Amino acid sequence: MNITWALLMMALGSVGVQSGGHESDVSAALQSAVNPPVTAEQAGSAAPNTSAGNASPSPAPSATPAADSALHTDPQPDAPKVKGIYVTAYSAGGSRMEQLLALLDKTELNSMVIDIKDDAGYITYKTDNAELQEMGTPQNFIGDINKLMTRLKEHDVYPIARIVVFKDSVLAKKHPELSFVNSDGSVWKNKGGDSFVNPYNENVWKYNVDIAKEAAKLGFKEIQFDYVRFPEGFEKRADALKYTKSDRPRVEIVADFVKYAKAELAPLGVRVSVDIFGYAASVPAAEGIGQDFVKISKNVDVISPMVYPSHYSTGWFDVKDPDKDPYATIKGSMVDTHKKLDPLGSFKPVIRPWIQDFTASWLGSGHFIKYGKQQVEDQIRALKDENVDEFLLWNANNRYTSEVDYEQ
């Protein structure tokens, strides 16, 4: 197993990433993996301070995390065993929705993960909430959100709201003080042109949780937070950018956001889930981006590791080309996931991985195979063999393989 490569890949993306990322990001992530920070951050009090050049910081997050005891009870003990698909806001608000509902009607699939705040940072429907309107520039991708919720209920679909948290170009542009700023005053962007907002800032926490609260009131049964992390390769630029921060380590800040969200949403009876890199189950914490598999998992109802076989490199789980052996790759990832989370005991969340329903042609000739019925079923069978009976299918274009037996 190549731990350096694993840490590299952990820094490169999230659910929606289906390729290796930009070369400069790869380089930065690799250097971070080879030389992880060991002295730059130390646990301590949350007294605010600033990075270079930030003269007027806002307070560090002050919300009190949920008590551990609150995590012992599933807010939805009668929820179904979720077998779901990813649905963009464009699909949810367009003609593609008819095909997707038909897929669920005729198969064992029973859930949709729908973009409510997307990868750019747009709220995907026209909210009436004035504060959300000002912060998020809501779009009309989903023309009638209430009609959508009614349709989902009529088709007995378990609805999950996907909220992309800290990757948010919209909020960063409108409120640079909530983001990371270069020395020339411009908002920092990654090589893909995306900006992130600052996980240290409590206003960012509240904004995203307010979106989640509205989604819950609309009828979503679960809130799935994605991009719950700092930007890729952040440790290399942490001291050069201007932003508010405290002396708490990044892994603690990210975990504290999850605790805060869980506590705030608890009265609404919704589950809280988080997407996280599949590699995180097999390697130490990714301190650069602030993701610790155990710390995050302990504070959610559901954890969704992204275990796409295409995202593992040669040698993982003793497989030469993981994309070509989906069963062995998924099985190995679940063995590691259980090992990581079993010590949590009653705090262990539901494990509901994201699996692959797309073809990773970018891996190059000889290193990938076309994904179809057999490959999807192999992944589901591997999950079942490791006592994992929930899953989510990812396809960025929402074109899912037909004739799949989802009850392997």
Side-chain angles (χ1 to χ4, degrees):
M1 181 181 298
N2 188 328
I3 297 298
T4 296
W5 180 255
L7 289 173
L8 181 159
M9 292 301 292
M10 286 176 65
L12 293 183
S14 192
V15 164
V17 177
Q18 295 188 3
S19 62
H22 299 275
E23 291 181 1
S24 59
D25 290 338
V26 172
S27 176
L30 180 58
Q31 186 169 346
S32 171
V34 175
N35 301 297
V38 293
T39 59
E41 299 174 335
Q42 298 182 22
S45 65
N49 60 70
T50 64
S51 58
N54 192 349
S56 56
S58 61
S62 60
T64 302
D68 284 348
S69 60
L71 300 176
H72 286 278
T73 302
D74 189 334
Q76 293 184 27
D78 298 326
K81 299 293 185 182
V82 169
K83 297 177 170 68
I85 59 174
Y86 167 62
V87 178
T88 67
Y90 302 99
S91 291
S95 60
R96 178 69 58 82
M97 195 61 172
E98 293 295 337
Q99 300 171 21
L100 297 176
L101 287 170
L103 174 65
L104 268 65
D105 286 343
K106 67 181 182 181
T107 68
E108 300 85 357
L109 296 173
N110 60 8
S111 179
M112 292 183 175
V113 180
I114 300 174
D115 281 338
I116 291 302
K117 177 170 175 265
D118 67 15
D119 293 64
Y122 289 115
I123 297 172
T124 61
Y125 65 95
K126 289 292 188 178
T127 174
D128 293 329
N129 184 305
E131 184 175 353
L132 297 185
Q133 289 174 349
E134 191 280 327
M135 296 275 279
T137 315
Q139 301 297 301
N140 203 35
F141 303 146
I142 300 174
D144 189 332
I145 188 68
N146 291 307
K147 181 179 179 180
L148 172 63
M149 299 310 298
T150 298
R151 293 180 75 192
L152 295 176
K153 187 173 182 179
E154 290 173 348
H155 288 264
D156 199 24
V157 175
Y158 184 81
I160 302 174
R162 177 177 180 250
I163 295 175
V164 177
V165 182
F166 298 121
K167 179 185 176 185
D168 192 334
S169 297
V170 171
L171 185 59
K173 182 178 180 180
K174 294 183 72 173
H175 293 278
E177 73 279 7
L178 302 180
S179 183
F180 303 103
V181 179
N182 295 310
S183 58
D184 63 1
S186 62
V187 173
W188 175 83
K189 297 180 181 179
N190 65 16
K191 294 300 181 181
D194 302 311
S195 296
F196 279 63
V197 287
N198 182 7
Y200 281 101
N201 194 294
E202 66 178 348
N203 293 320
V204 173
W205 289 20
K206 182 179 183 300
Y207 168 57
N208 282 278
V209 171
D210 282 349
I211 296 172
K213 288 178 178 178
E214 182 158 292
K217 292 174 182 177
L218 285 168
F220 284 95
K221 301 296 185 182
E222 180 176 316
I223 306 300
Q224 183 186 95
F225 293 111
D226 196 6
Y227 283 88
V228 185
R229 63 174 177 85
F230 285 77
E232 58 278 357
F234 184 78
E235 67 282 353
K236 289 182 62 65
R237 58 182 62 90
D239 293 332
L241 297 172
K242 301 177 183 179
Y243 60 100
T244 301
K245 70 174 184 178
S246 73
D247 60 1
R248 287 177 63 76
R250 289 187 284 274
V251 292
E252 296 290 346
I253 289 298
V254 170
D256 282 352
F257 163 73
V258 177
K259 292 178 186 177
Y260 165 77
K262 185 74 167 60
E264 289 290 306
L265 292 168
L268 299 180
V270 292
R271 278 176 162 181
V272 171
S273 60
V274 166
D275 298 327
I276 193 167
F277 295 108
Y279 292 99
S282 305
V283 300
E287 295 184 5
I289 60 173
Q291 282 196 335
D292 183 299
F293 194 79
V294 174
K295 289 181 185 296
I296 291 174
S297 296
K298 184 178 180 180
N299 294 293
V300 296
D301 302 301
V302 180
I303 191 72
S304 289
M306 298 166 282
V307 293
Y308 316 120
S310 61
H311 284 38
Y312 289 87
S313 59
T314 298
W316 274 91
F317 314 120
D318 297 320
V319 178
K320 180 180 179 181
D321 289 302
D323 186 70
K324 296 167 68 175
D325 195 340
Y327 177 86
T329 305
I330 296 296
K331 184 178 176 66
S333 71
M334 289 301 99
V335 168
D336 283 356
T337 296
H338 284 304
K339 286 180 180 178
K340 199 91 162 186
L341 298 184
D342 280 349
L344 292 179
S346 62
F347 294 95
K348 184 178 181 179
V350 172
I351 299 170
R352 187 197 300 147
W354 281 99
I355 61 175
Q356 180 171 331
D357 195 357
F358 58 86
T359 296
S361 56
W362 62 83
L363 294 175
S365 178
H367 299 289
F368 77 96
I369 55 176
K370 181 176 175 58
Y371 267 55
K373 172 180 165 63
Q374 183 64 52
Q375 290 70 36
V376 174
E377 290 179 352
D378 283 349
Q379 293 176 87
I380 296 170
R381 182 164 52 89
L383 293 176
K384 191 170 184 178
D385 287 350
E386 290 303 320
N387 298 311
V388 175
D389 51 12
E390 300 195 22
F391 58 84
L392 300 169
L393 296 169
W394 179 268
N395 181 288
N397 297 316
N398 301 166
R399 298 183 184 278
Y400 296 98
T401 301
S402 61
E403 307 302 325
V404 171
D405 178 2
Y406 296 108
E407 293 290 345
Q408 290 296 299

